Amino acid sequence: MLRRAVPPLQNQARISLCTTSQLRTHFSQSFHPGWDANNDSYDYTRGRFLSSEAHEMKVRRVKLNMNELAKSAAESLGFTYSQCARIEKLPDGMFNKAFLFTMQDGTRVVGKVPNPNAGRPHYTTASEVATMDFVRNELSTPVPRVLAWSSKANENPVGAEYIIMEKVEGVQLDKVWPKMDIKKRFELVKTISGYQKAWMSTSFTQYGSLYYSSDLPNSEGCVLVKEDESDFEEHRFAVGPTTGREFFDDGNNVYQYKSAVGLRELACVQNMARLPRSLLGLYGPGTYTPSRPKKIAALQDYLRLLPYFLPTDESISSAYLWHPDLHTENIFVHPERPSEVLGIIDWQSSEILPLFDHARQPYLLDYDGPPATGLDPPEFSKNFDQLDPDEQRKAQSLYLNMSLATLYRKLTSAKNKRLFKAMEFGQTSSFDMMLFAHNLLIDGEALYRARILDIEQEWSSLPGVQASGNQPFPLELSAEDVNCIGEDADGAIEGLELMQSVKESLGELWPEKGIVQPDRYDEAKRLLKKVKTELIAQLAHSEAEKKAWEESWPFDD
């Protein structure tokens, strides 16, 4: 079923109008009905995968009728199908296809189509549309207006879920960020902080994702809580199943939600036909061998310890809606005034979560180096004059990044105390142990259980322990258990170091997240094969060990 989100725009209100001469120059091709002949529009073309490529490509391939998508784009603006003059495929995302549709008068809109790996059918698109509406109109954030959409692939002629939305003006922040001085960067950070403050003006009484009530079965709405703690019923919107890509975690209170994380991981470990291979560590004979029982043990420990990890301050456990991925490609700014934000895109998979799960510095402030944890300015390199020019540039860049992160912390501390309090909880062992548990299906169970041994030493300082009258440590670990946990942790560290050596051997060819540029694929495959041969020759001391290392190698041959 197609949704028309707003009435067609009138001619005088259309966006990005071009002159007639500009149109003649820009559009030399007239519209023709053969858009679907360009089959690579449906495939992932931004990179190649060095691990499980056939599967990774399959979950990123979408079959759709481009003629019908163009028709929907044109009609959302009040044009006819034949007045769509150009379609351009935008760079692939990991979870979506996006197309830029330009009409004959220069008006442009974006069409977004989710890949199969984006999330649950219907829910992923329905939630994104409702979230954009809510954030734009209720939380005063510059978000593209949705013009038309459909969350039911089998009920529309496009044959896929889609969203038609306004084309955000301006440029992506990543195009200008490197040229901005710290003053302009901080002005932008203050703007982003203002939006975060707006997001905290309204909280919810449930965790999950946001939808229109009409898109959920038997939903009568939700309860919203304002800053003054007054609440009211909202019938147009409702909280429903999460669209976070970590499967389905939701609940009516923070314990239910965090329990769902562990139960989700546990169900996957128990039921998946084959455990996924990690790209973080290289595990084999003599290092560490992941197994279902070891992962299950770690997750059961998490579930038993969870009540003691949760913060006792309910204000930082309140449920808020937040942008899931605030990096420089998702922020559009004015090209001449880059501290002026014109739009924030990609609200797919937004979740209503405890504030402490949202509370981190925006991804655009991330950098390689020591994290900014206090409010005092960072120290500049004391031996700066003794460094060579390249090292001086690195030292200056690190100082700039740490200073900006510290300024963000100071601003948050002064203007948004609840968010800062949640950020401070994010620096604790309790938060680390909850966050660590989110990915135990893939990796980390050996080090997680080793970290539990440290938690036993910190036990009295945990929030739930202090609140419950100093309860005893609930896990009973024998001397043999402790010894096995230590051996597994040592082996896991060896595996991480081995993978680090592979990464260093490949240098720029290292497949971050398993992906390389298409033109570097063959070279990366060749070098990986060489590294694999050398490593196995070094590590394997028998045919059985050689076979085991062959089977544990996470990259495709």
Side-chain angles (χ1 to χ4, degrees):
M1 179 174 61
L2 180 147
R3 308 287 187 95
R4 178 69 51 79
V6 295
L9 298 179
Q10 299 301 313
N11 288 343
Q12 62 267 28
R14 287 174 181 156
I15 309 162
S16 305
L17 300 183
C18 299
T19 65
T20 304
S21 61
Q22 287 174 320
L23 284 171
R24 289 197 187 103
T25 302
H26 192 60
F27 302 121
S28 58
Q29 287 185 317
S30 60
F31 179 86
H32 62 84
W35 299 117
D36 281 327
N38 187 17
N39 288 328
D40 67 352
S41 295
Y42 318 131
D43 290 319
Y44 181 80
T45 58
R46 199 171 184 175
R48 296 285 303 274
F49 294 86
L50 290 169
S51 181
S52 305
E53 182 171 50
H55 168 75
E56 298 293 349
M57 287 296 190
K58 181 180 179 181
V59 299
R60 289 170 176 81
R61 188 174 199 281
V62 178
K63 178 61 180 174
L64 62 94
N65 187 317
M66 185 60 73
N67 293 309
E68 292 292 344
L69 189 62
K71 182 180 178 182
S72 180
E75 291 180 348
S76 74
L77 292 166
F79 288 100
T80 63
Y81 169 60
S82 62
Q83 289 175 304
C84 181
R86 172 171 295 198
I87 301 175
E88 301 168 58
K89 184 184 178 188
L90 299 175
D92 280 303
M94 291 294 284
F95 303 98
N96 300 278
K97 304 283 183 290
F99 306 91
L100 182 63
F101 297 91
T102 306
M103 305 303 129
Q104 286 184 346
D105 74 343
T107 310
R108 300 183 297 172
V109 294
V110 171
K112 180 177 181 179
V113 179
N115 295 335
N117 68 335
R120 297 174 69 184
H122 167 64
Y123 290 95
T124 299
T125 298
S127 179
E128 182 174 8
V129 171
T131 297
M132 292 173 70
D133 181 350
F134 189 88
V135 173
R136 176 187 172 92
N137 295 302
E138 304 297 330
L139 301 182
S140 305
T141 302
V143 173
R145 183 167 45 152
V146 173
L147 304 176
W149 62 284
S150 174
S151 62
K152 301 291 182 68
N154 60 347
E155 295 182 11
N156 70 64
V158 175
E161 299 179 35
Y162 67 87
I163 302 173
I164 305 295
M165 68 187 81
E166 290 176 334
K167 169 68 174 69
V168 179
E169 296 306 305
V171 298
Q172 286 177 299
L173 179 59
D174 67 317
K175 301 295 192 298
V176 295
W177 182 256
K179 304 172 187 175
M180 294 169 64
D181 60 31
I182 190 168
K183 182 178 179 181
K184 289 181 179 178
R185 288 187 182 188
F186 186 51
E187 286 300 315
L188 178 72
V189 168
K190 286 198 289 186
T191 302
I192 297 297
S193 295
Y195 295 139
Q196 291 180 327
K197 182 70 172 176
W199 301 344
M200 290 183 61
S201 66
T202 303
S203 64
F204 298 78
T205 58
Q206 296 169 275
Y207 303 104
S209 287
L210 192 66
Y211 300 84
Y212 293 126
S213 297
S214 57
D215 286 316
L216 293 175
N218 305 317
S219 177
E220 297 182 356
C222 60
V223 175
L224 303 181
V225 182
K226 305 306 287 185
E227 285 182 288
D228 61 3
E229 298 188 356
S230 63
D231 59 65
F232 64 95
E233 292 186 9
E234 167 59 70
H235 297 290
R236 186 164 172 249
F237 295 96
V239 179
T242 182
T243 57
R245 296 190 183 99
E246 294 178 328
F247 302 98
F248 318 127
D249 304 327
D250 48 46
N252 292 326
N253 60 55
V254 69
Y255 177 73
Q256 288 177 345
Y257 162 65
K258 285 298 184 180
S259 293
V261 171
L263 294 173
R264 172 202 74 208
E265 295 288 290
L266 194 58
C268 290
V269 170
Q270 291 171 329
N271 296 304
M272 289 186 73
R274 178 178 178 180
L275 292 176
R277 290 183 293 187
S278 171
L279 293 181
L280 298 178
L282 191 56
Y283 305 124
T287 60
Y288 169 71
T289 303
S291 69
R292 292 182 201 274
K294 290 176 181 178
K295 290 182 181 291
I296 289 171
L299 287 162
Q300 289 174 335
D301 289 347
Y302 162 76
L303 290 169
R304 292 186 65 185
L305 294 173
L306 174 60
Y308 307 100
F309 295 148
L310 295 171
T312 53
D313 184 348
E314 292 184 4
S315 71
I316 66 172
S317 297
S318 299
Y320 288 97
L321 181 64
W322 217 258
H323 191 283
D325 197 12
L326 207 56
H327 60 68
T328 54
E329 289 186 3
N330 286 336
I331 301 171
F332 282 73
V333 297
H334 193 290
E336 297 174 4
R337 301 184 298 277
S339 58
E340 180 181 332
V341 175
L342 299 180
I344 299 176
I345 66 169
D346 198 6
W347 293 84
Q348 187 180 80
S349 300
S350 296
E351 295 179 274
I352 299 168
L353 298 180
L355 181 60
F356 64 77
D357 271 344
H358 290 311
R360 69 177 312 278
Q361 69 180 26
Y363 289 102
L364 64 96
L365 298 181
D366 287 354
Y367 58 90
D368 291 329
T373 55
L375 298 179
D376 296 327
E379 291 188 7
F380 194 67
S381 177
K382 294 180 180 179
N383 63 336
F384 182 79
D385 293 336
Q386 283 74 51
L387 301 176
D388 62 43
D390 184 56
E391 290 174 328
Q392 286 183 343
R393 282 192 294 272
K394 291 179 180 178
Q396 287 175 324
S397 176
L398 178 60
Y399 181 75
L400 171 67
N401 290 327
M402 291 185 69
S403 297
L404 193 60
T406 301
L407 285 171
Y408 169 76
R409 289 178 56 80
K410 291 186 71 172
L411 178 66
T412 305
S413 174
K415 302 291 187 181
N416 200 342
K417 295 187 183 299
R418 181 181 291 192
L419 180 60
F420 185 76
K421 193 185 299 183
M423 289 171 60
E424 291 294 277
F425 178 72
Q427 304 296 319
T428 65
S429 298
S430 293
F431 179 79
D432 283 346
M433 295 301 285
M434 288 190 288
L435 181 65
F436 204 169
H438 280 237
N439 206 36
L440 291 178
L441 168 67
I442 307 296
D443 203 341
E445 68 278 358
L447 296 179
Y448 191 82
R449 298 204 80 197
R451 185 71 182 88
I452 285 173
L453 300 181
D454 296 330
I455 288 292
E456 185 174 10
Q457 306 306 312
E458 307 169 26
W459 185 245
S460 61
S461 65
L462 265 58
V465 177
Q466 294 180 339
S468 63
N470 205 22
Q471 292 288 321
F473 189 67
L475 305 183
E476 296 182 7
L477 299 172
S478 66
E480 183 180 356
D481 291 333
V482 171
N483 184 57
C484 288
I485 289 171
E487 289 180 354
D488 283 347
D490 290 342
I493 291 171
E494 288 183 44
L496 295 172
E497 292 172 346
L498 282 173
M499 188 63 84
Q500 181 63 28
S501 71
V502 175
K503 182 176 182 178
E504 292 171 358
S505 296
L506 266 71
E508 293 183 355
L509 287 174
W510 171 252
E512 199 65 43
K513 298 182 180 179
I515 305 172
V516 294
Q517 293 294 321
D519 61 349
R520 310 193 81 175
Y521 178 75
D522 290 337
E523 185 182 2
K525 290 275 285 186
R526 179 191 60 77
L527 189 52
L528 274 173
K529 186 174 182 179
K530 179 174 180 289
V531 171
K532 175 185 176 182
T533 300
E534 292 173 351
L535 269 177
I536 291 179
Q538 172 189 337
L539 298 171
H541 302 292
S542 67
E543 283 300 314
E545 288 189 356
K546 180 180 178 181
K547 183 179 179 181
W549 278 112
E550 290 271 2
E551 292 176 351
S552 66
W553 184 251
F555 303 102
D556 295 339
D557 290 328

